[in-house]
């Protein structure tokens, strides 16, 4: 025989004793002694999705914090205006782009290629990939940032594919920034003058 209890409020009978339901104690905002007020669902948490239209760069503020340890950023392109163009990634802090103290490298190859090329990416930014040619919608990037919202070196890793001139490349880029600074945003810096696309940011808490 089953029964159903419908109530709006369950109050403790003994002061400060809490309420026990099926051996689980609920007391003073705690469930079995654990604070669940700040819990979020497991896995990646969607933070923002933005579109950009015919711009040479896209700046995003107030997206990183200490709430999450790892951030994932996904980028797609619809149109660009330069066949021989590239996309670069920069951190942002206090509404300003950071253009120094980057360490990075990239490994790339094109379809039909028989070898990989290694290249230093300089100190001004991190490399993402190429969104040029007549088919920029063949571009796609997945970027991972480790601890950008904490006062420590941000680590960067990117898997991306995209066209440059008449070829189509896969790029793996990686590196870190030595500023030992907490950042709250990023900048997508395009070497051409007009790009149109979309970027989504997700957070992951290691808990």
């Amino acid at each position: 025989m089953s029964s159903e209890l419908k109530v709006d409020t369950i109050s403790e009978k003994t002061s400060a004793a809490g309420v026990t339901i099926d051996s689980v104690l609920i007391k003073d905002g705690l469930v079995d002694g654990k604070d669940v007020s700040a819990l979020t669902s497991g896995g990646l948490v969607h933070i923002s999705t933005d579109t950009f239209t015919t711009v040479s760069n896209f700046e995003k503020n107030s997206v990183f914090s200490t709430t999450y340890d790892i951030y994932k950023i996904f980028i797609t392109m619809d149109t660009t205006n330069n066949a021989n163009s590239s996309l670069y990634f920069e951190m942002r802090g206090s509404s300003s782009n950071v253009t120094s103290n980057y360490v990075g490298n990239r490994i790339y190859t094109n379809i039909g290629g028989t070898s990989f090329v290694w290249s230093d990416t300089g100190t001004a930014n991190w490399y993402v990939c190429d969104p040029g040619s007549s088919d920029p919608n063949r571009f796609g990037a997945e970027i991972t940032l480790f601890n950008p919202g904490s006062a420590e070196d941000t680590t960067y890793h990117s898997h991306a594919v995209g066209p440059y001139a008449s070829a189509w490349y896969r790029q793996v880029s990686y590196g870190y920034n030595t500023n030992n600074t907490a950042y709250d945003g990023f900048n997508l810096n395009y070497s051409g003058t007009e790009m149109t696309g979309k970027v989504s940011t997700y957070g992951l808490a290691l808990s």
Side-chain angles (χ1 to χ4, degrees), residues 176-194:
Y176 53 90
N177 185 283
T178 63
N179 286 333
N180 203 38
T181 301
Y183 299 113
D184 70 348
F186 63 88
N187 178 46
L188 303 180
N189 190 352
Y190 177 52
S191 67
T193 58
E194 294 182 3

Side-chain angles (χ1 to χ4, degrees), residues 69-124:
D69 305 285
I70 300 172
Y71 288 83
K72 284 279 192 180
I73 300 171
F74 299 92
I75 309 168
T76 59
M77 290 288 183
D78 295 320
T79 60
T80 58
N81 72 334
N82 190 322
N84 303 323
S85 59
S86 300
L87 185 68
Y88 303 90
F89 191 94
E90 298 166 355
M91 303 302 298
R92 277 176 67 79
S94 302
S95 299
S96 297
N97 296 329
V98 178
T99 57
S100 63
N101 295 328
Y102 293 90
V103 178
N105 202 354
R106 66 183 174 117
I107 307 168
Y108 62 94
T109 189
N110 64 307
I111 286 184
T114 58
S115 62
F116 290 93
V117 179
W118 282 261
S119 176
D120 186 285
T121 54
T123 61

Side-chain angles (χ1 to χ4, degrees), residues 13-187:
K13 180 179 179 181
T14 303
S15 178
V19 176
T20 299
I21 301 176
D22 198 18
S23 299
V24 176
L25 175 63
I26 302 174
K27 180 178 182 295
D28 299 331
L30 305 180
V31 178
D32 262 357
K34 297 180 175 61
D35 185 1
V36 298
S37 61
L39 290 181
T40 58
S41 58
L44 294 175
V45 178
H46 178 255
I47 298 172
S48 65
T49 294
D50 299 278
T51 58
F52 45 88
T53 304
T54 59
V55 296
S56 60
N57 71 303
F58 172 77
E59 298 173 342
K60 179 68 176 178
N61 295 318
S62 303
V63 68
F64 305 137
S65 70
T66 56
T67 300
Y68 302 105
D69 305 285
I70 300 172
Y71 288 83
K72 284 279 192 180
I73 300 171
F74 299 92
I75 309 168
T76 59
M77 290 288 183
D78 295 320
T79 60
T80 58
N81 72 334
N82 190 322
N84 303 323
S85 59
S86 300
L87 185 68
Y88 303 90
F89 191 94
E90 298 166 355
M91 303 302 298
R92 277 176 67 79
S94 302
S95 299
S96 297
N97 296 329
V98 178
T99 57
S100 63
N101 295 328
Y102 293 90
V103 178
N105 202 354
R106 66 183 174 117
I107 307 168
Y108 62 94
T109 189
N110 64 307
I111 286 184
T114 58
S115 62
F116 290 93
V117 179
W118 282 261
S119 176
D120 186 285
T121 54
T123 61
N125 48 44
W126 289 310
Y127 200 91
V128 182
C129 199
D130 310 315
S133 87
S134 59
D135 295 295
N137 55 353
R138 293 177 183 172
F139 170 94
E142 176 186 340
I143 295 170
T144 305
L145 293 174
F146 298 87
N147 301 309
S150 300
E152 54 189 273
D153 293 347
T154 298
T155 303
Y156 169 90
H157 188 264
S158 170
H159 285 280
V161 290
Y164 185 91
S166 59
W168 193 73
Y169 289 88
R170 183 197 178 200
Q171 308 265 2
V172 177
S173 302
Y174 54 94
Y176 53 90
N177 185 283
T178 63
N179 286 333
N180 203 38
T181 301
Y183 299 113
D184 70 348
F186 63 88
N187 178 46

